[in-house]
Amino acid sequence: MISYDHYLVLALALFFIGVTGVVLRRNALIILMSIELMLNAVNLAVLAAARNMGDMYGHGLALFIMTVAAAEAAVGLALVLAMFRHRRTVNVDEFRNLKG
Amino acid sequence: MWADILFWVFAAAVIVLALAVITFKNPVNSAMALVADLFFVAALFVLVDAHFLAVIQILLYAGAVMVLFLFVIMLINQGPDELGRARRTFAKAVALILLFPLALVVLRVVENVSKGGGFLKVPSDYGTIEAVGRLVFGQYLLPFEVASVLLLAAIIGAVAIAKRRLW
């Protein structure tokens, strides 16, 4: 029987993979994709919690998380484009100056 | 019973594809793996009776956000020399060692998973578009309007950041 705990562990593992991607990869695009993975893990945990409690408040929360994720992706990709225009690379190791 | 089997299939696919996202060298491959991953996460949403959000997940993420990702990847168009650069094996090994305690936490939680249980019964309109609509346009009306302002700010911000010269 699949229980709430199984979903939470799956969400935790997915979030952990996302964290690993952010820490290990130096390509800004893949870092953004790892952030999307983490946001999806959170959504899965929220929806499983809503199902466990039998009410629907989590669905509203998950919808807003998706909205924020879409806004984050748009601004993040704009930043990547600006970075690329500036330095001709998206390797985040190259961006170590606060001064442009 | 079927739901249990499907859960394991989808969970395995989600984990494998997520690992693929962070291991592929070429961002295009990562993006395609992420699209497939988001589809399987949507399937898991269906298993927890979040039907409307599963559809939104596919439309919004696999549709809109990932197209945006692919668009930027194509626009940047990194060559093989660019992708092959920057190995930094030592730094990656240190990062992996530092991540190890976090992995131990995951394993510790897995040990304590309760057997059995399952979810309680829910009304037949749970997770439908009507129920979500009543929630969002009723109780969550103010957050909904705030979210629209957030999206407007994101649109203007994205244009302002990505544009070469504003004035």
Side-chain angles (χ1 to χ4, degrees):
Chain A
M1 220 32 203
I2 298 300
S3 65
Y4 177 44
D5 290 14
H6 288 84
Y7 283 95
L8 280 189
V9 168
L10 178 62
L12 180 61
L14 194 56
F15 192 90
F16 178 67
I17 293 172
V19 172
T20 313
V22 169
V23 173
L24 286 188
R25 295 305 301 264
R26 301 272 57 98
N27 188 327
L29 286 163
I30 293 183
I31 290 178
L32 275 179
M33 288 184 213
S34 302
I35 294 173
E36 298 293 328
L37 277 182
M38 287 195 273
L39 285 162
N40 256 278
V42 172
N43 258 345
L44 185 59
V46 166
L47 288 174
R51 183 68 183 75
N52 189 43
M53 289 188 233
D55 63 35
M56 284 199 44
Y57 298 114
H59 290 226
L61 181 58
L63 199 61
F64 293 125
I65 293 175
M66 278 189 194
T67 314
V68 173
E72 172 263 331
V75 176
L77 288 169
L79 275 172
V80 170
L81 267 184
M83 281 160 65
F84 180 75
R85 193 167 292 140
H86 207 69
R87 286 279 176 87
R88 290 281 134 198
T89 179
V90 289
N91 186 339
V92 290
D93 280 342
E94 307 276 327
F95 297 91
R96 47 180 75 181
N97 299 330
L98 282 177
K99 208 167 63 170
Chain B
M1 197 60 235
W2 268 110
D4 290 8
I5 298 167
L6 285 176
F7 172 83
W8 291 114
V9 172
F10 294 151
V14 162
I15 294 298
V16 168
L17 285 165
L19 285 172
V21 169
I22 66 165
T23 48
F24 275 134
K25 184 169 276 183
N26 193 332
V28 179
N29 294 346
S30 288
M32 294 330 276
L34 185 55
V35 171
D37 196 53
L38 296 176
F39 265 94
F40 281 109
V41 174
L44 283 167
F45 285 3
V46 173
L47 283 187
V48 286
D49 292 308
H51 309 287
F52 174 63
L53 278 159
V55 174
I56 288 297
Q57 164 97 350
I58 290 173
L59 282 182
L60 194 86
Y61 262 112
V65 173
M66 290 319 295
V67 169
L68 197 63
F69 262 100
L70 284 172
F71 197 73
V72 171
I73 291 169
M74 307 273 173
L75 208 61
I76 285 175
N77 192 19
Q78 297 166 292
D81 50 326
E82 167 83 7
L83 292 174
R85 217 144 50 79
R87 283 250 111 132
R88 296 198 158 221
T89 333
F90 177 72
K92 281 184 181 174
V94 172
L96 267 182
I97 290 166
L98 291 179
L99 280 169
F100 188 65
L102 210 53
L104 283 183
V105 173
V106 176
L107 284 180
R108 192 64 195 277
V109 175
V110 170
E111 274 175 9
N112 293 327
V113 167
S114 65
K115 303 285 184 294
F119 291 118
L120 39 90
K121 275 222 171 306
V122 284
S124 61
D125 71 335
Y126 185 88
T128 57
I129 186 165
E130 185 192 343
V132 175
R134 280 184 196 287
L135 185 70
V136 170
F137 295 112
Q139 198 166 3
Y140 285 163
L141 188 59
L142 182 65
F144 178 75
E145 298 295 340
V146 173
S148 69
V149 175
L150 172 76
L151 283 175
L152 179 67
I155 294 168
I156 297 172
V159 171
I161 293 168
K163 207 161 156 46
R164 233 172 275 266
R165 178 164 295 157
L166 266 185
W167 291 283

